[in-house]
Short mmCIF file of all heavy atoms in Angstrom, two decimals:
data_model
loop_
_atom_site.label_atom_id
_atom_site.label_comp_id
_atom_site.label_asym_id
_atom_site.label_seq_id
_atom_site.Cartn_x
_atom_site.Cartn_y
_atom_site.Cartn_z
N LYS B 566 106.61 70.11 84.18
CA LYS B 566 107.90 70.34 83.51
C LYS B 566 108.31 71.83 84.04
O LYS B 566 107.97 72.84 83.46
CB LYS B 566 107.76 70.42 81.97
CG LYS B 566 107.34 69.04 81.40
CD LYS B 566 108.43 68.10 81.40
CE LYS B 566 107.98 66.82 80.66
NZ LYS B 566 108.90 65.73 80.96
N ILE B 567 109.14 71.75 85.03
CA ILE B 567 109.56 72.93 85.76
C ILE B 567 110.24 73.99 84.71
O ILE B 567 109.98 75.10 84.75
CB ILE B 567 110.55 72.72 86.84
CG1 ILE B 567 109.98 71.62 87.83
CG2 ILE B 567 110.95 73.99 87.51
CD1 ILE B 567 108.75 72.08 88.65
N ILE B 568 111.08 73.46 83.86
CA ILE B 568 111.88 74.31 83.00
C ILE B 568 111.02 75.13 82.12
O ILE B 568 111.31 76.31 81.81
CB ILE B 568 112.86 73.50 82.17
CG1 ILE B 568 113.76 74.44 81.47
CG2 ILE B 568 112.22 72.51 81.22
CD1 ILE B 568 115.03 73.73 80.71
N GLN B 569 109.77 74.73 81.86
CA GLN B 569 108.86 75.50 80.91
C GLN B 569 108.21 76.73 81.62
O GLN B 569 107.86 77.65 81.04
CB GLN B 569 107.83 74.58 80.42
CG GLN B 569 108.39 73.46 79.48
CD GLN B 569 107.35 72.53 78.87
OE1 GLN B 569 106.15 72.60 79.24
NE2 GLN B 569 107.78 71.76 77.97
N ARG B 570 108.23 76.68 82.99
CA ARG B 570 107.73 77.83 83.73
C ARG B 570 108.79 79.14 83.61
O ARG B 570 108.34 80.13 83.73
CB ARG B 570 107.68 77.53 85.21
CG ARG B 570 106.56 76.50 85.57
CD ARG B 570 105.26 77.15 85.33
NE ARG B 570 104.87 78.19 86.32
CZ ARG B 570 104.16 79.29 86.01
NH1 ARG B 570 103.81 79.64 84.78
NH2 ARG B 570 103.87 80.16 86.98
N ILE B 571 110.02 78.77 83.33
CA ILE B 571 111.07 79.85 83.50
C ILE B 571 110.83 80.93 82.43
O ILE B 571 110.64 82.14 82.77
CB ILE B 571 112.43 79.31 83.41
CG1 ILE B 571 112.64 78.21 84.57
CG2 ILE B 571 113.57 80.37 83.35
CD1 ILE B 571 113.94 77.49 84.56
N LYS B 572 110.72 80.55 81.17
CA LYS B 572 110.51 81.56 80.16
C LYS B 572 109.06 82.09 80.11
O LYS B 572 108.88 83.18 79.69
CB LYS B 572 110.83 80.99 78.72
CG LYS B 572 112.34 80.99 78.41
CD LYS B 572 112.85 82.34 77.97
CE LYS B 572 114.26 82.17 77.56
NZ LYS B 572 114.78 83.28 76.71
N GLN B 573 108.13 81.25 80.60
CA GLN B 573 106.80 81.79 80.78
C GLN B 573 106.69 83.01 81.72
O GLN B 573 106.14 83.90 81.47
CB GLN B 573 105.82 80.73 81.37
CG GLN B 573 105.34 79.65 80.26
CD GLN B 573 104.64 78.43 80.97
OE1 GLN B 573 104.35 78.48 82.17
NE2 GLN B 573 104.43 77.41 80.28
N MET B 574 107.54 82.87 82.76
CA MET B 574 107.51 83.88 83.78
C MET B 574 108.52 85.01 83.44
O MET B 574 108.25 86.13 83.80
CB MET B 574 107.80 83.28 85.14
CG MET B 574 106.72 82.42 85.70
SD MET B 574 106.95 81.88 87.42
CE MET B 574 106.81 83.41 88.33
N GLN B 575 109.48 84.78 82.78
CA GLN B 575 110.58 85.80 82.41
C GLN B 575 111.02 85.55 81.00
O GLN B 575 112.07 85.05 80.71
CB GLN B 575 111.72 85.69 83.41
CG GLN B 575 111.41 86.42 84.76
CD GLN B 575 112.64 86.60 85.58
OE1 GLN B 575 113.72 86.75 85.08
NE2 GLN B 575 112.30 86.79 86.83
N PRO B 576 110.24 85.98 80.07
CA PRO B 576 110.58 85.82 78.66
C PRO B 576 111.93 86.34 78.23
O PRO B 576 112.59 85.91 77.27
CB PRO B 576 109.46 86.48 77.91
CG PRO B 576 108.31 86.63 78.85
CD PRO B 576 108.99 86.76 80.21
N THR B 577 112.41 87.35 78.97
CA THR B 577 113.64 87.99 78.54
C THR B 577 114.95 87.47 79.12
O THR B 577 115.99 87.85 78.80
CB THR B 577 113.60 89.54 78.88
OG1 THR B 577 113.46 89.57 80.35
CG2 THR B 577 112.44 90.20 78.25
N THR B 578 114.80 86.54 80.12
CA THR B 578 116.04 85.94 80.75
C THR B 578 116.66 85.03 79.77
O THR B 578 116.04 84.44 78.86
CB THR B 578 115.62 85.22 82.09
OG1 THR B 578 116.84 85.00 82.85
CG2 THR B 578 114.97 83.87 81.78
N LEU B 579 117.97 84.86 79.94
CA LEU B 579 118.69 83.87 79.05
C LEU B 579 118.54 82.54 79.85
O LEU B 579 119.06 82.39 80.94
CB LEU B 579 120.17 84.29 78.96
CG LEU B 579 120.49 85.35 78.02
CD1 LEU B 579 121.89 85.81 78.20
CD2 LEU B 579 120.30 84.89 76.60
N LEU B 580 118.00 81.54 79.19
CA LEU B 580 117.84 80.24 79.79
C LEU B 580 118.77 79.16 79.31
O LEU B 580 118.76 78.96 78.03
CB LEU B 580 116.34 79.83 79.51
CG LEU B 580 116.09 78.32 80.07
CD1 LEU B 580 116.25 78.20 81.54
CD2 LEU B 580 114.62 78.06 79.71
N VAL B 581 119.55 78.62 80.14
CA VAL B 581 120.41 77.52 79.79
C VAL B 581 119.84 76.18 80.38
O VAL B 581 119.76 76.08 81.70
CB VAL B 581 121.84 77.76 80.32
CG1 VAL B 581 122.80 76.56 79.91
CG2 VAL B 581 122.41 79.07 79.92
N GLY B 582 119.47 75.32 79.52
CA GLY B 582 118.97 73.97 79.97
C GLY B 582 120.02 72.95 79.86
O GLY B 582 121.13 73.23 79.35
N PHE B 583 119.76 71.72 80.46
CA PHE B 583 120.67 70.59 80.37
C PHE B 583 119.99 69.42 79.91
O PHE B 583 118.85 69.13 80.31
CB PHE B 583 121.26 70.43 81.75
CG PHE B 583 122.17 71.52 82.14
CD1 PHE B 583 121.75 72.73 82.49
CD2 PHE B 583 123.62 71.33 82.14
CE1 PHE B 583 122.58 73.84 82.86
CE2 PHE B 583 124.50 72.31 82.52
CZ PHE B 583 123.96 73.54 82.86
N LYS B 584 120.64 68.59 79.06
CA LYS B 584 120.03 67.33 78.56
C LYS B 584 121.09 66.20 78.83
O LYS B 584 122.15 66.23 78.21
CB LYS B 584 119.69 67.39 77.11
CG LYS B 584 118.70 66.31 76.67
CD LYS B 584 117.32 66.56 77.23
CE LYS B 584 116.55 65.33 77.37
NZ LYS B 584 115.21 65.59 77.91
N LEU B 585 120.71 65.42 79.75
CA LEU B 585 121.69 64.23 80.03
C LEU B 585 120.96 62.94 79.51
O LEU B 585 119.95 62.60 79.93
CB LEU B 585 121.83 64.10 81.54
CG LEU B 585 122.74 62.87 82.02
CD1 LEU B 585 124.15 63.05 81.66
CD2 LEU B 585 122.52 62.57 83.49
N LEU B 586 121.69 62.32 78.54
CA LEU B 586 121.30 60.96 78.13
C LEU B 586 122.31 59.97 78.50
O LEU B 586 123.31 60.32 79.01
CB LEU B 586 121.09 60.99 76.53
CG LEU B 586 119.90 61.92 76.09
CD1 LEU B 586 119.81 61.83 74.51
CD2 LEU B 586 118.58 61.57 76.68
N VAL B 587 121.98 58.69 78.19
CA VAL B 587 122.94 57.63 78.66
C VAL B 587 123.22 56.64 77.52
O VAL B 587 122.30 56.07 77.02
CB VAL B 587 122.30 56.79 79.78
CG1 VAL B 587 123.31 55.74 80.34
CG2 VAL B 587 121.84 57.73 80.91
N GLY B 588 124.44 56.71 77.03
CA GLY B 588 124.92 55.71 76.00
C GLY B 588 124.27 55.94 74.73
O GLY B 588 123.79 54.82 74.13
N VAL B 589 124.00 57.13 74.19
CA VAL B 589 123.53 57.34 72.82
C VAL B 589 124.64 57.85 71.92
O VAL B 589 125.59 58.39 72.38
CB VAL B 589 122.30 58.26 72.85
CG1 VAL B 589 121.19 57.74 73.72
CG2 VAL B 589 122.71 59.58 73.33
N LYS B 590 124.35 57.81 70.59
CA LYS B 590 125.31 58.37 69.66
C LYS B 590 125.19 59.98 69.72
O LYS B 590 124.24 60.47 70.11
CB LYS B 590 124.96 57.97 68.17
CG LYS B 590 125.12 56.46 67.96
CD LYS B 590 125.55 56.32 66.42
CE LYS B 590 125.90 54.87 66.19
NZ LYS B 590 124.79 54.15 65.79
N LYS B 591 126.30 60.57 69.37
CA LYS B 591 126.45 62.10 69.47
C LYS B 591 125.29 62.70 68.60
O LYS B 591 124.68 63.64 69.13
CB LYS B 591 127.75 62.53 68.94
CG LYS B 591 127.94 64.06 68.98
CD LYS B 591 129.36 64.46 68.40
CE LYS B 591 129.40 65.98 68.23
NZ LYS B 591 130.62 66.40 67.51
N GLU B 592 124.97 62.20 67.36
CA GLU B 592 123.84 62.87 66.65
C GLU B 592 122.53 62.80 67.40
O GLU B 592 121.79 63.77 67.39
CB GLU B 592 123.64 62.09 65.30
CG GLU B 592 124.88 62.01 64.40
CD GLU B 592 125.90 61.00 64.91
OE1 GLU B 592 125.57 59.77 64.84
OE2 GLU B 592 127.03 61.31 65.32
#
Side-chain angles (χ1 to χ4, degrees):
Chain B
K566 300 285 186 197
I567 305 294
I568 188 171
Q569 296 179 352
R570 291 292 288 141
I571 298 170
K572 280 280 187 160
Q573 280 168 14
M574 291 186 69
Q575 282 194 21
T577 60
T578 199
L579 284 169
L580 174 59
V581 184
F583 288 72
K584 196 75 205 176
L585 178 71
L586 294 181
V587 184
V589 299
K590 292 216 175 86
K591 183 181 164 188
E592 300 80 62

